Coordinates of all heavy atoms in Angstrom, one line a residue:
A1 N 4.5 6.8 -17.2 CA 5.5 6.6 -18.2 C 4.9 6.2 -19.5 O 5.4 6.5 -20.6 CB 6.5 5.5 -17.8
C2 N 3.7 5.6 -19.4 CA 3.0 5.1 -20.6 C 2.5 6.3 -21.5 O 2.2 6.1 -22.6 CB 1.9 4.2 -20.3 SG 2.4 2.6 -19.6
R3 N 2.4 7.4 -20.9 CA 1.9 8.6 -21.7 C 3.1 9.4 -22.3 O 2.9 10.5 -22.8 CB 1.1 9.5 -20.7 CG -0.1 8.9 -20.2 CD -0.9 9.8 -19.4 NE -2.0 9.1 -18.7 CZ -3.3 9.2 -19.2 NH1 -3.5 9.8 -20.3 NH2 -4.2 8.5 -18.6
A4 N 4.3 8.9 -22.3 CA 5.4 9.6 -22.8 C 5.2 9.7 -24.3 O 4.6 8.9 -25.0 CB 6.7 8.8 -22.6
R5 N 5.7 10.9 -24.8 CA 5.6 11.2 -26.2 C 6.7 10.7 -27.1 O 6.7 10.8 -28.3 CB 5.4 12.7 -26.4 CG 4.1 13.2 -25.7 CD 4.1 14.7 -25.7 NE 5.1 15.2 -24.8 CZ 5.0 16.1 -23.9 NH1 3.8 16.8 -23.8 NH2 5.9 16.5 -23.1
S6 N 7.8 10.2 -26.5 CA 8.9 9.8 -27.2 C 9.7 8.7 -26.4 O 9.4 8.6 -25.2 CB 9.9 10.9 -27.5 OG 10.5 11.4 -26.4
K7 N 10.6 8.0 -27.0 CA 11.4 7.0 -26.3 C 12.3 7.7 -25.2 O 12.4 7.2 -24.1 CB 12.3 6.3 -27.2 CG 11.7 5.1 -27.9 CD 12.7 4.3 -28.7 CE 12.1 3.0 -29.1 NZ 13.1 2.1 -29.8
G8 N 12.8 8.9 -25.5 CA 13.6 9.6 -24.6 C 12.8 10.0 -23.3 O 13.3 9.9 -22.2
E9 N 11.6 10.5 -23.6 CA 10.7 10.9 -22.5 C 10.3 9.6 -21.6 O 10.3 9.7 -20.4 CB 9.5 11.6 -23.0 CG 8.7 12.2 -21.9 CD 7.4 13.0 -22.4 OE1 7.2 13.1 -23.6 OE2 6.7 13.5 -21.5
F10 N 10.1 8.5 -22.3 CA 9.7 7.3 -21.6 C 10.9 6.9 -20.7 O 10.7 6.5 -19.5 CB 9.4 6.2 -22.6 CG 9.0 4.9 -22.0 CD1 7.7 4.7 -21.4 CD2 9.9 3.8 -21.9 CE1 7.3 3.5 -20.8 CE2 9.5 2.6 -21.3 CZ 8.3 2.5 -20.8
H11 N 12.1 6.9 -21.3 CA 13.3 6.5 -20.5 C 13.5 7.5 -19.3 O 13.8 7.0 -18.2 CB 14.5 6.6 -21.4 CG 15.8 6.1 -20.7 ND1 16.6 6.9 -19.9 CD2 16.3 4.8 -20.7 CE1 17.6 6.2 -19.4 NE2 17.5 4.9 -19.9
S12 N 13.2 8.7 -19.5 CA 13.3 9.7 -18.4 C 12.3 9.4 -17.3 O 12.7 9.4 -16.1 CB 13.1 11.1 -19.0 OG 13.1 12.1 -17.9
K13 N 11.1 9.1 -17.7 CA 10.1 8.8 -16.7 C 10.4 7.5 -15.9 O 10.2 7.5 -14.7 CB 8.7 8.8 -17.3 CG 8.2 10.2 -17.8 CD 6.9 10.1 -18.4 CE 6.4 11.4 -19.0 NZ 6.0 12.4 -18.0
I14 N 10.8 6.5 -16.6 CA 11.2 5.3 -16.0 C 12.4 5.5 -15.0 O 12.4 5.0 -13.9 CB 11.6 4.2 -17.0 CG1 10.3 3.7 -17.8 CG2 12.3 3.0 -16.4 CD1 9.3 3.0 -17.0
S15 N 13.3 6.3 -15.4 CA 14.4 6.7 -14.5 C 14.0 7.3 -13.2 O 14.5 7.1 -12.1 CB 15.4 7.5 -15.2 OG 16.0 6.8 -16.3
I16 N 13.0 8.2 -13.3 CA 12.4 8.9 -12.2 C 11.8 7.8 -11.3 O 11.9 7.9 -10.0 CB 11.4 10.0 -12.6 CG1 12.2 11.1 -13.2 CG2 10.6 10.5 -11.4 CD1 11.3 12.1 -13.9
I17 N 11.0 6.9 -11.9 CA 10.4 5.9 -11.1 C 11.4 5.0 -10.3 O 11.2 4.7 -9.1 CB 9.5 5.0 -12.0 CG1 8.3 5.8 -12.5 CG2 9.0 3.8 -11.2 CD1 7.6 5.1 -13.7
V18 N 12.5 4.7 -11.0 CA 13.6 3.9 -10.3 C 14.1 4.7 -9.2 O 14.3 4.1 -8.1 CB 14.7 3.5 -11.4 CG1 15.9 3.0 -10.6 CG2 14.2 2.6 -12.4
E19 N 14.4 6.0 -9.4 CA 14.9 6.8 -8.3 C 14.0 6.9 -7.1 O 14.4 6.7 -6.0 CB 15.2 8.2 -8.9 CG 15.8 9.2 -7.9 CD 15.9 10.6 -8.4 OE1 16.0 10.7 -9.7 OE2 15.9 11.5 -7.6
K20 N 12.7 7.1 -7.4 CA 11.7 7.2 -6.3 C 11.5 5.9 -5.6 O 11.4 5.9 -4.3 CB 10.4 7.8 -6.8 CG 10.5 9.2 -7.4 CD 11.0 10.1 -6.3 CE 11.2 11.5 -6.9 NZ 11.7 12.5 -5.9
A21 N 11.5 4.8 -6.3 CA 11.3 3.5 -5.7 C 12.5 3.2 -4.8 O 12.4 2.7 -3.6 CB 11.2 2.4 -6.7
D22 N 13.7 3.5 -5.3 CA 15.0 3.2 -4.5 C 15.0 4.1 -3.2 O 15.3 3.6 -2.1 CB 16.2 3.6 -5.3 CG 17.5 3.2 -4.7 OD1 17.6 2.1 -4.1 OD2 18.4 4.0 -4.7
E23 N 14.5 5.3 -3.3 CA 14.5 6.2 -2.2 C 13.5 5.7 -1.2 O 13.7 5.7 0.1 CB 14.1 7.6 -2.6 CG 14.1 8.6 -1.5 CD 13.8 10.0 -2.0 OE1 13.6 10.3 -3.2 OE2 13.7 10.9 -1.1
S24 N 12.3 5.2 -1.6 CA 11.3 4.7 -0.7 C 11.8 3.5 0.0 O 11.6 3.4 1.3 CB 10.0 4.4 -1.5 OG 9.5 5.5 -2.1
V25 N 12.4 2.6 -0.7 CA 13.0 1.4 0.0 C 14.0 1.8 1.0 O 14.1 1.3 2.1 CB 13.5 0.4 -1.0 CG1 14.3 -0.7 -0.3 CG2 12.4 -0.2 -1.9
F26 N 14.9 2.8 0.7 CA 15.9 3.2 1.6 C 15.3 3.7 2.9 O 15.7 3.3 4.0 CB 16.7 4.4 0.9 CG 17.6 5.1 1.9 CD1 18.8 4.5 2.3 CD2 17.2 6.3 2.4 CE1 19.6 5.2 3.2 CE2 18.0 7.0 3.3 CZ 19.2 6.4 3.7
W27 N 14.2 4.6 2.8 CA 13.6 5.1 4.0 C 12.9 4.0 4.8 O 12.9 4.1 6.1 CB 12.7 6.3 3.7 CG 13.5 7.5 3.4 CD1 13.6 8.1 2.2 CD2 14.4 8.2 4.3 NE1 14.5 9.2 2.2 CE2 15.0 9.3 3.5 CE3 14.7 8.1 5.6 CZ2 15.9 10.2 4.1 CZ3 15.6 9.0 6.2 CH2 16.2 10.0 5.4
L28 N 12.3 3.1 4.1 CA 11.7 2.0 4.9 C 12.7 1.2 5.6 O 12.5 0.8 6.8 CB 10.9 1.1 3.9 CG 9.6 1.7 3.3 CD1 9.1 0.8 2.2 CD2 8.5 1.9 4.4
E29 N 13.9 1.0 5.0 CA 14.9 0.3 5.7 C 15.5 1.1 6.9 O 15.8 0.5 7.9 CB 16.1 -0.1 4.7 CG 15.7 -1.1 3.7 CD 16.7 -1.4 2.6 OE1 17.5 -0.5 2.4 OE2 16.6 -2.4 2.0
V30 N 15.5 2.4 6.7 CA 16.0 3.2 7.9 C 15.0 3.1 9.0 O 15.4 2.9 10.2 CB 16.1 4.7 7.4 CG1 16.2 5.6 8.6 CG2 17.2 4.9 6.5
I31 N 13.7 3.1 8.7 CA 12.7 2.9 9.8 C 12.9 1.6 10.5 O 12.9 1.5 11.7 CB 11.3 3.0 9.2 CG1 11.0 4.5 8.8 CG2 10.3 2.6 10.2 CD1 9.8 4.7 8.0
E32 N 13.2 0.5 9.7 CA 13.4 -0.8 10.2 C 14.6 -0.9 11.1 O 14.6 -1.4 12.2 CB 13.5 -1.8 9.1 CG 13.6 -3.2 9.6 CD 13.8 -4.2 8.4 OE1 14.5 -4.0 7.5 OE2 13.1 -5.3 8.5
E33 N 15.7 -0.3 10.6 CA 17.0 -0.3 11.4 C 16.9 0.5 12.7 O 17.6 0.1 13.6 CB 18.1 0.2 10.5 CG 18.5 -0.8 9.4 CD 19.5 -0.3 8.5 OE1 20.2 0.8 8.7 OE2 19.7 -0.9 7.4
T34 N 16.2 1.6 12.7 CA 16.1 2.4 13.9 C 15.1 1.8 14.9 O 14.9 2.3 16.0 CB 15.7 3.8 13.6 OG1 14.4 3.8 12.9 CG2 16.7 4.5 12.8
R35 N 14.4 0.7 14.5 CA 13.4 0.0 15.3 C 12.2 0.9 15.7 O 11.6 0.6 16.7 CB 14.1 -0.6 16.5 CG 15.1 -1.6 16.1 CD 15.8 -2.2 17.3 NE 17.1 -2.8 16.9 CZ 17.2 -4.1 16.9 NH1 16.3 -4.9 17.3 NH2 18.4 -4.7 16.5
I36 N 12.0 1.9 14.9 CA 10.8 2.7 15.1 C 9.5 1.8 14.9 O 8.6 1.9 15.6 CB 10.7 4.0 14.2 CG1 11.8 4.9 14.6 CG2 9.4 4.6 14.2 CD1 12.0 6.1 13.6
D37 N 9.7 1.0 13.9 CA 8.6 0.1 13.5 C 9.3 -1.2 13.0 O 10.1 -1.1 12.1 CB 7.7 0.7 12.5 CG 6.5 -0.2 12.2 OD1 6.4 -1.3 12.6 OD2 5.6 0.3 11.4
N38 N 9.0 -2.3 13.5 CA 9.6 -3.5 13.1 C 8.5 -4.6 12.8 O 8.7 -5.8 13.1 CB 10.6 -4.0 14.2 CG 11.6 -5.0 13.6 OD1 11.8 -5.0 12.4 ND2 12.3 -5.7 14.5
S39 N 7.4 -4.1 12.3 CA 6.3 -5.0 12.1 C 6.4 -5.8 10.8 O 7.3 -5.5 9.9 CB 5.0 -4.2 12.0 OG 5.0 -3.4 10.8
T40 N 5.5 -6.8 10.7 CA 5.5 -7.6 9.5 C 5.0 -6.8 8.3 O 5.4 -7.0 7.1 CB 4.6 -8.8 9.6 OG1 3.3 -8.4 10.0 CG2 5.2 -9.8 10.7
V41 N 4.2 -5.8 8.5 CA 3.8 -4.9 7.5 C 4.9 -4.1 6.9 O 5.1 -4.0 5.6 CB 2.7 -3.9 8.0 CG1 2.3 -2.9 6.9 CG2 1.4 -4.7 8.4
L42 N 5.8 -3.6 7.7 CA 7.0 -2.9 7.2 C 7.9 -3.8 6.4 O 8.3 -3.4 5.3 CB 7.8 -2.4 8.4 CG 9.0 -1.6 8.1 CD1 8.7 -0.3 7.2 CD2 9.8 -1.2 9.3
K43 N 8.1 -5.0 6.9 CA 8.9 -6.0 6.1 C 8.3 -6.3 4.8 O 9.0 -6.4 3.7 CB 9.1 -7.3 6.9 CG 10.0 -7.1 8.1 CD 10.1 -8.4 8.9 CE 10.8 -8.3 10.2 NZ 12.0 -7.5 10.3
S44 N 7.0 -6.4 4.7 CA 6.3 -6.7 3.5 C 6.4 -5.5 2.5 O 6.6 -5.7 1.3 CB 4.8 -6.9 3.8 OG 4.0 -7.1 2.6
L45 N 6.3 -4.3 3.1 CA 6.5 -3.1 2.2 C 7.9 -3.0 1.6 O 8.1 -2.6 0.5 CB 6.2 -1.8 3.0 CG 4.8 -1.6 3.4 CD1 4.6 -0.4 4.3 CD2 3.9 -1.3 2.1
I46 N 8.9 -3.4 2.4 CA 10.3 -3.4 1.9 C 10.4 -4.4 0.8 O 11.0 -4.1 -0.2 CB 11.3 -3.6 3.1 CG1 11.3 -2.5 4.0 CG2 12.7 -3.9 2.5 CD1 12.1 -2.7 5.3
E47 N 9.9 -5.6 1.0 CA 10.0 -6.6 0.0 C 9.3 -6.2 -1.3 O 9.8 -6.3 -2.4 CB 9.3 -7.9 0.5 CG 10.2 -8.6 1.5 CD 9.5 -9.8 2.1 OE1 8.5 -10.3 1.5 OE2 9.9 -10.3 3.2
E48 N 8.1 -5.6 -1.2 CA 7.3 -5.2 -2.3 C 8.0 -4.0 -3.0 O 8.1 -4.0 -4.3 CB 5.9 -4.7 -1.9 CG 5.0 -4.5 -3.1 CD 3.6 -4.2 -2.7 OE1 3.2 -4.6 -1.5 OE2 2.8 -3.7 -3.5
G49 N 8.5 -3.1 -2.3 CA 9.3 -2.0 -2.9 C 10.5 -2.5 -3.6 O 10.8 -2.0 -4.7
T50 N 11.2 -3.4 -3.1 CA 12.4 -4.0 -3.7 C 12.0 -4.7 -5.0 O 12.7 -4.6 -6.0 CB 13.1 -5.0 -2.8 OG1 13.5 -4.2 -1.6 CG2 14.3 -5.5 -3.4
Q51 N 10.9 -5.4 -5.0 CA 10.4 -6.1 -6.2 C 10.1 -5.1 -7.3 O 10.4 -5.2 -8.5 CB 9.2 -7.0 -5.9 CG 9.5 -8.2 -5.1 CD 8.3 -8.9 -4.7 OE1 7.2 -8.6 -5.0 NE2 8.5 -10.0 -3.9
I52 N 9.4 -4.0 -6.9 CA 9.0 -2.9 -7.9 C 10.3 -2.3 -8.5 O 10.4 -2.1 -9.7 CB 8.1 -1.9 -7.2 CG1 6.7 -2.5 -6.9 CG2 8.0 -0.6 -8.1 CD1 5.9 -1.6 -6.0
L53 N 11.2 -2.0 -7.6 CA 12.5 -1.5 -8.0 C 13.2 -2.4 -9.0 O 13.7 -1.9 -10.1 CB 13.4 -1.2 -6.8 CG 14.8 -0.6 -7.1 CD1 14.7 0.7 -7.8 CD2 15.5 -0.5 -5.8
K54 N 13.3 -3.7 -8.8 CA 13.9 -4.6 -9.7 C 13.2 -4.6 -11.0 O 13.9 -4.6 -12.1 CB 13.9 -6.0 -9.1 CG 14.9 -6.2 -8.0 CD 14.9 -7.6 -7.4 CE 15.8 -7.7 -6.2 NZ 15.7 -9.1 -5.7
I55 N 11.9 -4.6 -11.0 CA 11.1 -4.7 -12.3 C 11.4 -3.4 -13.1 O 11.7 -3.5 -14.3 CB 9.6 -4.8 -12.0 CG1 9.3 -6.2 -11.4 CG2 8.8 -4.6 -13.3 CD1 8.0 -6.4 -10.8
V56 N 11.2 -2.3 -12.5 CA 11.4 -1.0 -13.2 C 12.8 -0.8 -13.7 O 13.1 -0.3 -14.8 CB 10.9 0.2 -12.4 CG1 11.0 1.5 -13.1 CG2 9.4 0.0 -12.0
A57 N 13.8 -1.2 -12.8 CA 15.2 -1.1 -13.2 C 15.5 -2.0 -14.4 O 16.3 -1.6 -15.3 CB 16.1 -1.5 -12.1
S58 N 14.9 -3.2 -14.5 CA 15.1 -4.1 -15.6 C 14.5 -3.5 -16.9 O 15.0 -3.6 -18.0 CB 14.6 -5.5 -15.4 OG 13.2 -5.5 -15.3
I59 N 13.4 -2.8 -16.8 CA 12.7 -2.1 -17.9 C 13.7 -1.0 -18.4 O 13.9 -0.9 -19.6 CB 11.4 -1.5 -17.5 CG1 10.3 -2.6 -17.3 CG2 10.9 -0.6 -18.6 CD1 9.0 -2.1 -16.7
R60 N 14.2 -0.2 -17.5 CA 15.1 0.8 -17.9 C 16.4 0.3 -18.6 O 16.8 0.8 -19.6 CB 15.5 1.7 -16.7 CG 16.4 2.8 -17.1 CD 16.7 3.7 -15.9 NE 17.6 3.0 -15.0 CZ 18.1 3.6 -13.9 NH1 17.9 4.9 -13.7 NH2 18.9 3.0 -13.1
K61 N 16.9 -0.8 -18.0 CA 18.1 -1.4 -18.6 C 17.8 -1.9 -20.0 O 18.7 -1.9 -20.9 CB 18.6 -2.6 -17.7 CG 19.9 -3.2 -18.1 CD 20.4 -4.2 -17.1 CE 21.8 -4.7 -17.6 NZ 22.3 -5.7 -16.6
G62 N 16.6 -2.4 -20.2 CA 16.2 -2.9 -21.6 C 16.1 -1.8 -22.6 O 16.2 -2.0 -23.8
L63 N 16.0 -0.6 -22.2 CA 15.9 0.6 -23.1 C 17.2 1.1 -23.5 O 17.3 1.8 -24.5 CB 15.1 1.7 -22.4 CG 13.7 1.4 -22.0 CD1 13.1 2.6 -21.2 CD2 12.8 1.2 -23.3
E64 N 18.3 0.7 -22.8 CA 19.6 1.2 -23.1 C 20.3 0.5 -24.2 O 20.0 -0.5 -24.7 CB 20.5 1.2 -21.9 CG 20.0 2.1 -20.8 CD 20.7 1.9 -19.5 OE1 21.5 1.0 -19.3 OE2 20.5 2.8 -18.6

């Protein structure tokens, strides 16, 4: 996103990051709920993904 050539392009790239982070957290939660893997590493990844999602979403919100 830092290589964006305009504010619009920056906003677009940040939106893609939000979408991908949200999708990643979703699939990690699916794995957890199906009990395929219920390790502490998985829980840590979900927490970290959620934190990244919150940070990037707040950046996007600040651009609007």
